Amino acid sequence: MILVSGPEQFLADRSIRQLRDQLVAEDPRLEINDIEADHYAPGQLLTVASPSLFAEPRLIRVSNVEKCTDAFLLETLDYIENPADDTYLVLRHGGGVRGKKLLDALRGGAGGAIEVICLELKKDTEKLDFAAAEFAAEGRRVSAGALRALVQAFQDDLAELAAACQQLLADGDAQITEATVEKYYAGRVETTAFKVADSAIAGRHGEALILLRHALASGQDPVPIVAAFANKLRTMAKVSGNRASSGELASRFGMAPWQVQKAQRDVSSWSDEGLGNAIDLLATTDAAVKGAERDAVYALERMVSVISRRGDLR
Amino acid sequence: MGVWSNLTGQNEAIRTLQAAASHDPGNRAMAHSWLITGPPGSGRSNLAYAFAAALLSRGPDDEDATLRQVQARSHPDLAVLATELVIITIDQVRELVKASYYSPSVGRYRVVVVEDADRMSEHSSNVLLKALEEPPVSTVWILCAPSEADLLPTIRSRVRSLGLRVPSIDDVAALLRDRDGVDPETAVVAAREAQSHIGMARRLATDPEARARRRQTLETALSIRSTSDAVIAAATLLAVAGEDAKSFTAEHDEEERKAALRSLGVAEGGTVPPALRAQLRAMEDDQKRRAKRGLHDGLDRILVDLLSLYRDVLLLQLGAAGEPINDSIRPALESAAGASTPATTLKVLDAISTARTRVDRNVSPALVLEAMLIAVSRHAVR
């Protein structure tokens, strides 16, 4: 009995796949059944788990245990008390409190269950480790620069990162370097609205426009982009007139001290009037991207230009 | 005449409606569809319900009882469409159109009242056209909207329009005095500060917190000197608008939730079974939409208050005749007038009306206020 828990669907899928491959290798007669716990009808589990004439081993994969029906919960609790022989039950639980009784029973060792925890990889270092392990599993050498470039290019989706690693493994050279990654994935930059805002506020007009285009091309919506700019400029405006220390300002405006310090650094090259112009334009742009003007992208570019000039309306 | 009392300063309109509702067999003043227009707070919907009561009653003796039923919205021949959300949906209108084809069950007429007819989208309005043009003989439509321009021309041409005046400050003050027992001095100030909006005047007169919030708004605006001030002030004003909205909705939301739980048979404090959660969620979504409308209304009140403030400043700068609306903070008005020119004041007034259109366009409230207050911050620095 195996419990696959945690929010990262990609890792969960992969571990279930590996388990299946392993079992098929052991005995090719393996019979596989899928159950969706959120549409579970009473008796289903018992039907697929009851012994058959030729006694094939079987694998029962249950998805959506986090949304399971009451019937599923009751019957599974019964089942783990006396599991069937030669039957592997894999429960996929995506996180949450539903089915806690079942989880507790399994974690308590009922039926000799093991748990595979699939946590989300949030930090870049974790993703670097993940990619390095991908290459190491195939026994291939990869340079640190190449790993960094890969992780940079695929920040949002772990599945994409893994797929990219597999691609490089499948047709790359013995030694995977930065040049290889460049050849395959050059120009692909995943960016966020905040990065666009940062580079515009710092006055790097060209870079900001390129990032803006990247952000739009990789599916960012104009409205949150404007919101990110507004957030940045609002913080800058709040700290601009104040001589107090960053700690004091942070507590007054309910922000983290590093946010205040960053805003103070950003605002040092801005004039009060420029800041005013920029915020006024933001309001116009917000209206524009919500339908007041026909071309939302043009409105965004105009906003990025004015903000890169630090609010000079020229 | 019980039906028509409690309506302030609309004598001409009342005369017209009285003639229309008269039981005289030779009555030729009646029309099948009416549009009552007037500025917010002039008592449009109250007048509409008074008219509805007069139409529904079976005779002068029956009027008071009918009025009570109308006010409780429980009269069998009355259909009402009002909304606390931002728009009226097309399904609500369809339902209403269907209801309008029934014959009256007790009175002479079946009456359909649409408050906030301006909140219908073009689509929903089109659903009304047929029903408005040729209702059954005994059905009367009464629409209410701030102005004729808020409705489609195709609707306008199908209704008889009746415009209301802005009631005078003395009328509103007298109403506050007589109906709510407010002392005369407060009543006059509240009526003036609410710019004759009856509902607002009543809140200002009876709720000291509402008065304090309004004053805080004006003082905040006058103290802005830089972009930094403007952004911080915008946060303050947004909080004021939020509180304003909350004071309207919070209590109501809680009551609604309790009533819903009771009707679903869930004990107070008990857990809600999963099968019922969808219903509660639908209610919460509605409440969220209502909160958004509340915030928009709160913002609009702030903007109207600021409009009155800079109108006063302009009045003083031009030396025009007329009483400042915000007479209570006259010294502050005078110093603001001295520190700027009529041209810059006009710019601020422009910025405020731009802000009002932006609220309508669903621009983020914080940005609307910030952009407007930045214009305000440039007012005084000359």
Side-chain angles (χ1 to χ4, degrees):
Chain A
M1 222 160 313
I2 295 154
L3 169 65
V4 182
S5 64
E8 182 56 67
Q9 186 62 32
F10 171 72
L11 291 180
D13 286 348
R14 180 187 263 196
S15 56
I16 294 174
R17 200 166 56 233
Q18 274 173 357
L19 177 75
R20 187 203 59 192
D21 292 346
Q22 205 179 333
L23 291 175
V24 171
E26 274 174 21
D27 188 342
R29 292 179 309 156
L30 180 77
E31 191 183 309
I32 299 171
N33 285 299
D34 285 303
I35 294 179
E36 284 172 15
D38 48 343
H39 297 295
Y40 183 83
Q44 226 176 331
L45 180 62
L46 218 57
T47 316
V48 295
S50 53
S52 71
L53 188 59
F54 301 108
E56 303 99 345
R58 46 194 78 218
L59 170 65
I60 304 169
R61 297 182 295 198
V62 186
S63 53
N64 298 333
V65 178
E66 71 276 8
K67 288 181 265 183
C68 66
T69 59
D70 291 339
F72 175 80
L73 209 56
L74 287 175
E75 290 183 15
T76 313
L77 280 168
D78 273 350
Y79 175 80
I80 59 177
E81 295 292 312
N82 343 282
D85 292 337
D86 268 345
T87 301
Y88 302 89
L89 178 65
V90 180
L91 300 168
R92 167 78 187 110
H93 192 282
V97 290
R98 179 103 183 112
K100 189 167 180 304
K101 208 167 157 199
L102 180 62
L103 295 188
D104 287 345
L106 288 170
R107 283 176 185 148
I114 54 172
E115 181 174 12
V116 180
I117 302 175
C118 304
L119 288 180
E120 241 174 313
L121 302 186
K122 291 211 181 86
K123 296 197 197 101
D124 272 0
T125 52
E126 288 171 346
K127 286 184 183 154
L128 277 176
D129 289 345
F130 172 80
E134 284 296 276
F135 290 108
E138 297 281 321
R140 297 281 276 280
R141 304 252 307 269
V142 57
S143 71
L147 277 181
R148 254 200 310 283
L150 258 181
V151 171
Q152 200 69 37
F154 297 96
Q155 284 197 328
D156 277 348
D157 194 350
L158 197 62
E160 279 189 50
L161 178 59
C165 291
Q166 293 304 328
Q167 178 80 57
L168 289 177
L169 282 170
D171 41 314
D173 318 316
Q175 171 82 9
I176 294 163
T177 62
E178 232 165 311
T180 329
V181 176
E182 177 83 356
K183 193 162 102 197
Y184 279 78
Y185 302 111
R188 194 194 144 97
V189 182
E190 280 191 3
T191 185
T192 62
F194 282 101
K195 283 187 193 155
V196 184
D198 276 337
S199 77
I201 287 166
R204 298 192 293 271
H205 184 201
E207 185 190 296
L209 278 183
I210 293 174
L211 284 177
L212 172 68
R213 283 295 181 169
H214 271 303
L216 290 170
S218 57
Q220 292 255 354
D221 199 58
V223 175
I225 295 182
V226 179
F229 271 85
N231 193 327
K232 287 264 173 198
L233 287 179
R234 187 172 299 140
T235 317
M236 283 162 59
K238 276 182 185 169
V239 302
S240 72
N242 283 293
R243 301 262 174 280
S245 78
S246 58
E248 196 189 319
L249 287 178
S251 64
R252 190 188 313 167
F253 298 126
M255 295 184 287
W258 64 266
Q259 278 177 312
V260 174
Q261 278 159 11
K262 184 158 189 329
Q264 279 172 330
R265 267 201 310 281
D266 285 341
V267 84
S268 58
S269 50
W270 283 67
S271 68
D272 194 71
E273 195 189 346
L275 202 53
N277 290 340
I279 294 179
D280 190 42
L281 182 68
L282 274 180
T284 313
T285 312
D286 198 32
V289 298
K290 284 173 179 167
E293 290 176 26
R294 295 179 77 169
D295 193 345
V297 176
Y298 170 73
L300 285 177
E301 285 182 352
R302 181 182 56 192
M303 170 187 82
V304 167
S305 303
V306 171
I307 289 176
S308 316
R309 289 198 300 270
R310 308 210 153 82
D312 182 355
L313 290 175
R314 262 194 301 210
Chain B
M1 285 298 275
V3 174
W4 305 102
S5 60
N6 268 342
L7 297 166
T8 301
Q10 307 294 356
N11 295 333
E12 291 155 49
I14 290 177
R15 259 198 301 283
T16 312
L17 295 180
Q18 265 173 336
S22 127
H23 286 261
D24 180 5
N27 175 8
R28 305 184 64 82
M30 188 55 193
H32 56 67
S33 306
W34 294 76
L35 170 64
I36 301 182
T37 60
S42 55
R44 287 187 309 251
S45 43
N46 289 342
L47 192 63
Y49 287 121
F51 184 37
L55 289 176
L56 291 169
S57 69
R58 275 162 295 178
D61 311 331
D62 185 36
E63 274 188 351
D64 283 333
T66 313
L67 185 66
R68 273 201 298 280
Q69 279 184 307
V70 167
Q71 277 166 350
R73 308 280 183 270
S74 62
H75 195 283
D77 293 334
L78 175 73
V80 175
L81 186 53
T83 185
E84 291 173 316
L85 312 181
V86 178
I87 57 162
I88 293 178
T89 64
I90 195 161
D91 292 334
Q92 289 173 302
V93 180
R94 288 208 176 108
E95 197 62 31
L96 198 68
V97 166
K98 211 161 70 189
S100 76
Y101 284 100
Y102 298 133
S103 326
S105 55
V106 287
R108 296 179 289 162
Y109 291 107
R110 166 168 291 275
V111 179
V112 186
V113 178
V114 184
E115 286 184 48
D116 313 316
D118 54 314
R119 289 190 185 271
M120 283 189 297
S121 65
E122 199 178 318
H123 256 57
S124 326
S125 301
N126 286 336
V127 173
L128 267 187
L129 293 179
K130 182 74 181 74
L132 266 188
E133 187 168 56
E134 283 187 333
V137 184
S138 52
T139 296
V140 180
W141 285 83
I142 309 176
L143 310 184
C144 306
S147 76
E148 284 190 30
D150 292 324
L151 297 171
L152 294 180
T154 41
I155 297 254
R156 265 182 276 161
S157 64
R158 282 163 166 80
V159 294
R160 175 167 171 192
S161 181
L162 182 71
L164 302 188
R165 294 185 300 123
V166 179
S168 75
I169 287 167
D170 293 334
D171 283 343
V172 176
L175 179 76
L176 291 179
R177 214 169 42 228
D178 301 340
R179 191 182 63 184
D180 301 311
V182 178
D183 70 276
E185 215 168 297
T186 320
V188 173
V189 172
R192 191 186 297 129
E193 289 187 346
Q195 299 175 56
S196 297
H197 185 306
I198 296 173
M200 266 322 284
R202 178 157 169 228
R203 275 191 76 210
L204 285 178
T206 52
D207 181 359
E209 272 179 41
R211 234 176 6 243
R213 276 201 288 268
R214 184 174 190 281
R215 209 188 163 96
Q216 191 195 352
T217 307
L218 301 187
E219 280 166 0
T220 312
L222 286 176
S223 67
I224 293 171
R225 289 288 172 275
S226 67
T227 304
S228 177
D229 289 351
V231 173
I232 294 171
T236 320
L237 289 192
L238 198 58
V240 170
E243 272 170 40
D244 216 24
K246 228 199 268 160
S247 72
F248 271 121
T249 56
E251 218 171 291
H252 189 57
D253 283 356
E254 190 48 39
E255 260 170 42
E256 195 182 52
R257 191 184 159 78
K258 269 193 196 143
L261 285 178
R262 199 164 41 240
S263 70
L264 291 173
V266 178
E268 215 165 301
T271 52
V272 183
L276 296 180
R277 275 180 209 148
Q279 286 193 37
L280 281 186
R281 208 167 309 128
M283 188 190 73
E284 275 159 18
D285 284 350
D286 249 10
Q287 290 181 344
K288 246 178 242 157
R289 275 184 221 121
R290 196 161 60 204
K292 183 165 185 186
R293 158 96 185 263
L295 185 65
H296 277 193
D297 290 355
L299 277 181
D300 205 56
R301 270 194 293 280
I302 286 183
L303 295 176
V304 170
D305 288 344
L306 290 180
L307 217 46
S308 78
L309 175 70
Y310 286 97
R311 173 239 182 226
D312 289 350
V313 172
L314 192 64
L315 196 77
L316 293 179
Q317 280 171 338
L318 297 176
E323 185 90 328
I325 294 168
N326 301 289
D327 211 21
S328 54
I329 51 166
R330 189 156 190 136
L333 287 180
E334 273 164 1
S335 76
S340 59
T341 64
T344 57
T345 311
L346 280 173
K347 269 192 188 157
V348 172
L349 287 170
D350 258 0
I352 298 175
S353 54
T354 312
R356 292 185 76 189
T357 38
R358 279 178 181 161
V359 171
D360 271 352
R361 285 208 168 263
N362 202 19
V363 175
S364 107
L367 270 178
V368 171
L369 285 177
E370 280 160 5
M372 180 198 74
L373 292 176
I374 283 166
V376 169
S377 77
R378 291 171 184 177
H379 174 240
V381 195
R382 286 309 119 166

